[in-house]
Amino acid sequence: LVLAVRPASVRELLQQIGKRDREITAVSLAAGIPLRQLRASLGSPVRWARAMPSPVCRIGRGLTAITFSSGFPQSLRAMVKKFFANVGTTLEIPEAKFDAFTVTYSSSHGYHALATLSKAAEQIGLDRKTALAAAAHALGEGVLYWREGDLSLPELLHEAATPGGIAATAMETMDKAGYLDMFNRSLKAGLARAKANAKLNSG
């Protein structure tokens, strides 16, 4: 059983399914709904896992976080991981860190950064097509170089940030403008939404 609905619809759907009297392996893709709520909904014969595949799975380069309820058999864990490995990398993490991962790994961060950086590039004179190409290269190929190259992230930042250089000036300006604080506030807001989703489906 794969539960692939929005968090607000989980409670109603589980009520429609009702208690089960035989063993079933179930995987929930609903963000923010904890295993304890899922276990209570259909009864003890149902073995629950949570998985959060990214939309990039559509091209086979996704990342799926997976967490399992206690007592989930190792053979079935391997089966679930193999299923999601068909569309990218899998990563098993504790449920306590699941919502933080969900808030952080979203490809929407990349899309938002691309839209924002390209818009800023247009405002300093680039046409839209060139702005998108330049911003996509900075984000996409820049990350690819880190992922597939031999240099660590600190080494790449040091290499790029030549004192008095263009990149160093741009990064320093972003940091002074509250770049890290912006991400802190946005991720905390996402965590709060995940907790709200859980409360919405409790009871």
Side-chain angles (χ1 to χ4, degrees):
L1 172 66
V2 177
L3 198 67
V5 296
R6 294 187 179 278
S9 303
V10 169
R11 185 177 181 183
E12 180 181 355
L13 179 59
L14 291 177
Q15 288 175 342
Q16 291 177 2
I17 295 174
K19 297 287 185 179
R20 302 287 92 183
D21 56 5
R22 63 184 180 86
E23 290 188 347
I24 297 175
T25 298
V27 181
S28 171
L29 309 187
I33 310 302
L35 289 170
R36 67 177 184 277
Q37 288 186 17
L38 297 169
R39 286 195 301 266
S41 60
L42 301 185
S44 57
V46 182
R47 298 174 292 249
W48 280 101
R50 291 177 62 190
M52 190 55 57
S54 73
V56 189
C57 286
R58 296 166 185 160
I59 61 170
R61 300 196 65 174
L63 176 62
T64 302
I66 305 173
T67 191
F68 299 96
S69 57
S70 60
F72 204 101
Q74 288 296 328
S75 60
L76 293 178
R77 291 184 184 220
M79 180 187 71
V80 172
K81 291 178 181 178
K82 184 178 180 180
F83 176 79
F84 287 103
N86 288 314
V87 291
T89 303
T90 62
L91 182 64
E92 183 178 348
I93 61 175
E95 188 181 25
K97 300 183 183 297
F98 211 74
D99 289 340
F101 180 90
T102 301
V103 171
T104 305
Y105 93 128
S106 175
S107 52
S108 62
H109 294 306
Y111 308 145
H112 191 245
L114 176 60
T116 303
L117 181 56
S118 62
K119 183 176 181 179
E122 287 185 72
Q123 291 176 353
I124 62 170
L126 292 183
D127 62 85
R128 178 164 178 75
K129 182 178 180 180
T130 304
L132 277 170
H137 173 78
L139 298 168
E141 275 68 43
V143 172
L144 186 64
Y145 182 42
W146 164 74
R147 186 187 292 274
E148 298 185 357
D150 297 325
L151 297 179
S152 67
L153 183 56
E155 287 173 328
L156 288 171
L157 285 168
H158 179 74
E159 179 182 76
T162 304
I166 296 172
T169 300
M171 288 190 290
E172 182 180 354
T173 301
M174 285 190 286
D175 289 340
K176 288 182 177 179
Y179 198 52
L180 177 59
D181 181 61
M182 173 190 67
F183 280 107
N184 283 335
R185 287 186 286 115
S186 64
L187 295 185
K188 287 178 181 178
L191 279 177
R193 171 51 57 189
K195 292 179 181 179
N197 287 345
K199 289 182 179 179
L200 184 66
N201 285 275
S202 63

